Amino acid sequence: MQPVPDYGLSVVEQLRAMTEAGTLQPDRHQFGVAEKLDRILTEFKARKPAAKKSALGWMFAQRRKQEIPIKGLYVHGSVGRGKTMLMDLFFKLAPVEKKRRAHFHEFMADVHGRIHAHRQKVKAGETKQADPVPPVAAALREEAQLLCFDEFTVTDIADAMILARLFTELFARGCTLVATSNVEPDNLYRDGLNRGLFLPFVDLLKKNVDVSTLDSPTDYRLEKMESLPVYIAPLNDAPKMMDIAWKRVTEGAPEVAVTIEMKGRTIEIPRAAGRAARFSFRDLCERPLGASDYLAIAKRFDVVFVENIPHLGPEKRNETKRFIILIDALYDASVRLFASAVAMPEALLTEKKGTEGFEFDRTVSRLFEMRSADYLALHQSKRQNHDGSVT
């Protein structure tokens, strides 16, 4: 979560300088992944700049000669091993004019939004192209030749069913993909509904990326963790403590109920004061909300309170999925989180199996890091950049 310094012209050089300076511990596993990222950098540098592309739309883009993409990289491994740091180093150095780094949930929310907008154009008679995927893929390619996804994961059937077609188009147009994940490609969307229809994407992915494991022996997130009193468990004194924290954060600002407009519908925010919002677990995870809703909340608020997080058993599978996505959205936006729960993060999930079991390891790690001094310092820095004040 720390800003990435500029130490050199390759990922390996930057890692070496950071270890020599004492910023990082030497880790041969990280250097192995860095070498693979540098292979991609070298191939980008060797290619001549592409001719300036036409902005006349997807129909002209479709006629262009298909480009052979540079083979990307998919890095998977346990949480806290440095995957995100390495991708940040790589992304900063990538000599590509059009590149995009995003959390995978954010990217897919954008894709679904574009598909919806195209279908509205079809209904309005503004286009005769009934299939939205080719024009959406063409538009994405016009904006980015390099796509970098942090925490690549597939839990939503709507995402699963579109990925093969979307990335067939993107790879054919020369997109290169670099991604980090907690799971290897063969375990993506494991136990998901109609998973057989998703498997062509797994095959397509493995043809277009090298797959690398990063499983260092050290969890660097936990090593740096410095806990602060922002996660309260168990629930005995939680209401009183949350009230005290709420009063301190809002500093007497008037509390109101607000709504966020989302494509013809609204997200209800029961308690808001300035750029702070307060929810119960039920408000956020027992209602039919998705990644786009949580991203909108993370964009609107700098501080979020979530109260009364329960144990998450098999009977709460949907709620568990939503909670995982919620924490991803808040974490990626550096939102300051205050939470009260029935148990500490590692004890919330009562039965670890299937996709949720894999994904919840990341959630536990992020809940710990969101209590650390490093995370709160980053939150404050971003808050200052937003409007010159600190929450």
Side-chain angles (χ1 to χ4, degrees):
M1 298 299 298
Q2 292 294 320
V4 175
D6 185 3
Y7 282 121
L9 299 178
S10 74
V11 181
V12 167
E13 287 174 350
Q14 294 207 32
L15 268 188
R16 184 175 296 118
M18 294 166 77
T19 56
E20 289 174 355
T23 306
L24 292 177
Q25 297 180 22
D27 188 320
R28 64 182 180 83
H29 301 85
Q30 291 182 354
F31 274 99
V33 172
E35 290 173 358
K36 295 176 181 178
L37 290 167
D38 282 341
R39 184 269 303 168
I40 301 173
L41 290 179
T42 299
E43 291 191 39
F44 270 125
K45 292 174 184 176
R47 288 200 174 183
K48 295 180 181 179
K52 187 175 181 180
K53 295 185 177 295
S54 167
L56 296 179
W58 80 272
M59 291 183 67
F60 291 92
Q62 194 177 43
R63 295 175 186 170
R64 299 183 191 126
K65 183 179 179 181
Q66 289 189 338
E67 303 176 57
I68 299 175
I70 291 171
K71 196 169 188 179
L73 183 67
Y74 181 103
V75 184
H76 67 93
S78 302
V79 296
R81 267 58 182 181
K83 300 186 297 294
T84 298
M85 175 198 68
L86 290 168
M87 190 168 72
D88 285 342
L89 292 170
F90 164 80
F91 185 80
K92 183 178 179 181
L93 293 171
V96 183
E97 179 183 355
K98 296 181 178 181
K99 55 186 177 179
R100 178 177 180 180
R101 185 204 185 289
H103 190 281
F104 184 68
H105 290 311
E106 176 189 351
F107 175 77
M108 289 309 299
D110 179 30
V111 168
H112 289 300
R114 292 174 189 244
I115 289 174
H116 174 76
H118 183 87
R119 286 173 175 161
Q120 294 302 110
K121 289 182 179 180
V122 173
K123 289 181 181 179
E126 297 175 18
T127 178
K128 294 183 179 179
Q129 171 61 26
D131 184 359
V133 174
V136 166
L140 290 168
R141 171 61 185 87
E142 289 290 334
E143 296 167 12
Q145 178 185 3
L146 171 64
L147 291 173
C148 291
F149 295 142
D150 197 18
E151 306 296 359
F152 195 108
T153 181
V154 183
T155 58
D156 186 275
I157 188 171
D159 293 348
M161 294 303 101
I162 200 175
L163 279 171
R165 295 189 59 231
L166 177 67
F167 275 88
T168 294
E169 297 281 346
L170 288 172
F171 289 139
R173 287 173 165 82
C175 268
T176 296
L177 173 65
V178 173
T180 70
S181 180
N182 290 346
V183 299
E184 58 187 315
D186 287 331
N187 279 330
L188 287 170
Y189 197 54
R190 197 175 77 169
D191 302 326
L193 186 63
N194 293 327
R195 188 172 187 264
L197 301 176
F198 172 75
L199 294 179
F201 170 72
V202 175
D203 294 334
L204 177 71
L205 179 65
K206 291 193 289 188
K207 288 178 183 177
N208 286 276
V209 300
D210 289 328
V211 178
S212 181
T213 304
L214 178 56
D215 257 331
S216 303
T218 305
D219 185 336
Y220 295 104
R221 286 181 178 176
L222 291 181
E223 193 174 72
K224 295 191 305 178
M225 186 189 76
E226 180 182 340
S227 294
L228 298 175
V230 293
Y231 186 100
I232 304 164
L235 293 171
N236 300 353
D237 297 322
K240 179 180 178 181
M241 296 175 72
M242 291 289 274
D243 284 341
I244 292 172
W246 177 254
K247 289 178 182 177
R248 187 187 69 202
V249 166
T250 59
E251 297 181 331
E255 182 179 310
V256 295
V258 300
T259 59
I260 299 176
E261 297 298 325
M262 284 284 296
K263 297 175 183 176
R265 59 189 180 83
T266 59
I267 306 172
E268 303 295 331
I269 314 297
R271 303 176 66 181
R275 292 187 63 82
R278 189 169 178 176
F279 304 88
S280 67
F281 177 87
R282 179 176 297 176
D283 293 329
L284 291 172
C285 300
E286 294 185 9
R287 295 167 55 200
L289 301 179
S292 60
D293 302 295
Y294 299 137
L295 290 167
I297 290 170
K299 183 177 180 180
R300 169 65 177 79
F301 298 103
D302 297 318
V303 184
V304 168
F305 283 63
V306 182
E307 300 185 87
N308 300 318
I309 302 168
H311 280 121
L312 300 171
E315 76 285 356
K316 291 185 179 293
R317 188 181 184 193
N318 289 334
E319 291 89 339
T320 302
K321 286 184 177 180
R322 294 188 191 110
F323 185 62
I324 290 169
I325 297 170
L326 167 67
I327 297 304
D328 282 346
L330 298 180
Y331 176 90
D332 286 331
S334 300
V335 171
R336 186 172 185 179
L337 174 69
F338 288 81
S340 66
V342 70
M344 294 301 288
E346 66 273 21
L348 288 176
L349 195 66
T350 61
E351 186 175 334
K352 183 179 177 181
K353 67 177 184 178
T355 301
E356 289 74 37
F358 279 106
E359 297 300 322
F360 208 78
D361 283 342
R362 180 178 75 250
T363 301
V364 169
S365 176
R366 290 190 161 183
L367 284 171
F368 274 111
E369 185 171 347
M370 291 167 88
R371 301 161 57 197
S372 72
D374 285 349
Y375 182 87
L376 296 184
L378 181 62
H379 159 81
Q380 290 179 332
S381 174
K382 290 198 171 184
R383 182 73 177 93
Q384 286 175 316
N385 290 337
H386 181 267
D387 63 2
S389 64
V390 177
T391 300

